């Protein structure tokens, strides 16, 4: 008998079709740096924090690495996606709350997970869970996307930065309605068990106009650090030409903390202009803080504060942009000890003037 022929070996199953394979994540980011000088500060006093300021609060006379920002986005398909955004630099020390609690030494904690969330979007409806940025305001954490080099009073004093929780949205090309439950105002971990409700309704009837009404309300008990906190914000934009847009904002807040009931308000406009490689961002803001709970200006009350900022910039090519900024902050009214007193700012003055030079590269 002849030899038994070998059993045929089945070919291995082909690899999963490329179309069904998980796509590669998208990676982008930026680096932003700058030099800031508080020109109105007394000579020889180059230390301390600048009152009312956020991302440049520690820069009386200093170079800053504002942020090294890295964003990773992955979409498995049209329905499932996730985002992770990480910041390192002096801005992160503000956003994560360490600069405000530890002074300039807090800059050593210059790392923040700005956002990390996952989204399920089967249709116009979507649900997002994780850490995400606020609904409120014109200005943003990402410096290259902000109209000006520094941030205004509303960004730093009247609005939260980020939240941890869950939110649901219904979005079309004309409307966006959302509601969410979060730990609280800039709380990564809820330390008291109370929760906060947030909501937003936005309309975009055309590419020339948009408006968004958003709000927050605390639903915790009297032991909640955010007890009684309410924040309402109206932000919008009118595009007057292809090059020129005018952003506007109105904000009102109220809280009850340690038995103190206090309210604050803010109004702002920010024009933006782009022509070729030239850019311009401006800001005019009024911020009222009748009991000094947000500005924290040496126990002052009946504060009304004005900010005027001008920031021209130029795109040097390839995503590399340089900007210059001139900024004026002034206390229009204020009291301390029942006496009219406006000199709450750096150096015991009622006005502070600063200049800044910044550059960023986006990739």
């Amino acid at each position: 008998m002849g030899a038994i022929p070998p059993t045929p070996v089945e070919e291995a199953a082909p690899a999963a079709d490329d179309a069904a394979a998980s796509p590669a994540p998208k990676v982008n980011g930026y680096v932003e740096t700058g030099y800031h000088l508080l020109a109105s500060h007394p000579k020889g006093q180059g230390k301390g924090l600048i009152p009312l300021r956020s991302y440049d609060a520690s820069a009386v006379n200093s170079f800053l690495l504002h942020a090294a920002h890295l964003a990773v986005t992955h979409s498995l398909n049209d329905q499932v996606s996730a985002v992770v955004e990480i910041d390192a630099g002096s801005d992160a020390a503000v956003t994560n709350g360490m600069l405000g609690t530890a002074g300039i030494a807090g800059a050593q904690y210059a790392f923040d997970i700005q956002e990390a969330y996952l989204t399920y979007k089967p249709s116009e409806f979507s649900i997002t869970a994780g850490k995400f940025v606020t609904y409120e305001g014109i200005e943003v954490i990402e410096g290259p996307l902000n109209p000006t080099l520094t941030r205004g009073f509303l960004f730093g004093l009247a609005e939260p930065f980020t939240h941890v929780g869950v939110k649901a949205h219904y979005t079309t090309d004309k409307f966006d309605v959302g509601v969410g439950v979060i730990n609280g105002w800039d709380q990564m971990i809820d330390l008291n068990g109370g929760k906060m409700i947030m909501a937003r309704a936005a309309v975009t009837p055309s590419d020339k106009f948009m408006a968004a009404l958003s709000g927050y309300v605390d639903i915790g008990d009297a032991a909640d650090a955010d007890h009684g906190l309410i924040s309402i914000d109206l932000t919008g934009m009118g595009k007057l030409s292809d090059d020129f847009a005018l952003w506007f904002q109105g904000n009102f807040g109220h809280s009850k903390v340690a038995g103190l009931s206090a309210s604050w308000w803010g109004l702002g406009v920010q024009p933006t202009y782009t022509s070729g490689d030239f850019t311009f961002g401006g800001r005019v803001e009024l911020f009222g803080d009748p009991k000094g709970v947000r500005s924290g200006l040496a126990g002052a009350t009946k504060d009304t504060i004005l900010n005027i900022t001008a920031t021209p910039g130029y795109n040097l090519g390839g995503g590399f942009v340089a900007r210059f900024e001139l900024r004026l902050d002034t206390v229009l009214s204020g009291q301390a000890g029942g006496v009219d007193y406006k000199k709450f700012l750096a150096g015991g003055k009622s006005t502070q003037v600063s200049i800044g030079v910044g550059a960023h590269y986006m990739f």
Side-chain angles (χ1 to χ4, degrees):
M1 298 180 59
I4 300 174
T7 303
V9 178
E10 295 184 3
E11 294 184 2
D17 186 82
D18 290 342
S22 177
K26 297 179 181 179
V27 179
N28 56 58
Y30 66 84
V31 176
E32 183 188 21
T33 186
Y35 169 74
H36 299 268
L37 173 66
L38 185 60
S40 60
H41 203 273
K43 292 183 178 179
Q45 298 185 26
K47 298 181 179 180
L49 297 177
I50 305 175
L52 308 176
R53 307 291 269 270
S54 51
Y55 287 158
D56 63 326
S58 61
V60 175
N61 179 6
S62 181
F63 291 98
L64 291 179
L65 169 60
H66 280 288
H69 175 88
L70 190 65
V72 180
T73 304
H74 188 272
S75 297
L76 179 64
N77 50 45
D78 293 339
Q79 298 181 351
V80 180
S81 63
V83 173
V84 177
E85 297 191 30
I86 299 173
D87 291 323
S90 59
D91 289 2
V94 179
T95 309
N96 69 18
M98 294 309 302
L99 184 63
T101 60
I104 293 177
Q108 65 182 298
Y109 302 99
F111 176 83
D112 186 51
I113 301 174
Q114 182 195 135
E115 294 190 284
Y117 59 84
L118 51 90
T119 299
Y120 176 63
K121 186 175 176 26
S123 59
E124 288 84 1
F125 173 81
S126 66
I127 185 165
T128 298
K131 186 181 182 186
F132 35 82
V133 296
T134 179
Y135 281 153
E136 295 187 339
I138 300 170
E139 300 193 276
V140 296
I141 293 173
E142 294 89 347
L145 304 181
N146 207 65
T148 53
L149 191 60
T150 63
R151 308 298 189 277
F153 301 145
L154 295 180
F155 178 88
L157 301 176
E159 305 165 9
F161 296 128
T162 58
H163 314 293
V164 174
V166 61
K167 60 180 180 177
H169 277 253
Y170 181 82
T171 305
T172 70
D173 58 346
K174 303 293 184 182
F175 302 98
D176 177 29
V177 179
V179 64
V181 181
I182 56 176
N183 281 343
W185 196 275
D186 290 325
Q187 292 186 18
M188 174 71 86
I189 299 174
D190 198 328
L191 301 178
N192 46 49
K195 292 294 179 284
M196 185 172 284
I197 301 295
M198 67 181 205
R200 164 187 166 94
V203 294
T204 309
S206 72
D207 60 356
K208 301 292 185 182
F209 180 80
M210 68 80 59
L213 180 66
S214 57
Y216 294 82
V217 59
D218 177 68
I219 57 174
D221 57 25
D224 190 340
D226 295 325
H227 175 59
L229 191 149
I230 298 173
S231 180
I232 301 172
D233 185 272
L234 175 64
T235 295
M237 180 275 294
K239 200 167 185 180
L240 307 182
S241 71
D242 291 340
D243 300 328
F244 181 75
L246 184 65
W247 292 81
F248 59 88
Q249 182 181 6
N251 184 284
F252 172 81
H254 179 81
S255 69
K256 297 178 182 178
V257 179
L260 176 63
S261 179
S263 300
W264 56 90
W265 58 269
L267 298 171
V269 293
Q270 291 197 243
T272 62
Y273 176 79
T274 302
S275 179
D277 292 325
F278 176 78
T279 64
F280 177 84
R283 179 175 57 235
V284 179
E285 278 186 325
L286 272 176
F287 185 71
D289 189 13
K291 295 188 178 180
V293 295
R294 305 303 293 181
S295 60
L297 294 180
T301 60
K302 298 185 178 179
D303 299 337
T304 304
I305 312 161
L306 171 69
N307 163 238
I308 301 174
T309 303
T311 310
Y314 192 80
N315 188 341
L316 300 174
F320 188 97
V321 176
R323 295 194 286 182
F324 172 81
E325 181 170 283
L326 179 64
R327 173 170 176 161
L328 169 83
D329 300 330
T330 185
V331 181
L332 300 180
S333 65
Q335 290 187 355
V339 179
D340 186 30
Y341 182 64
K342 301 177 182 178
K343 298 182 178 181
F344 303 130
L345 302 183
K349 299 181 180 182
S350 62
T351 298
Q352 58 189 19
V353 178
S354 63
I355 61 173
V357 180
H360 63 257
Y361 173 73
M362 302 180 69
F363 60 89

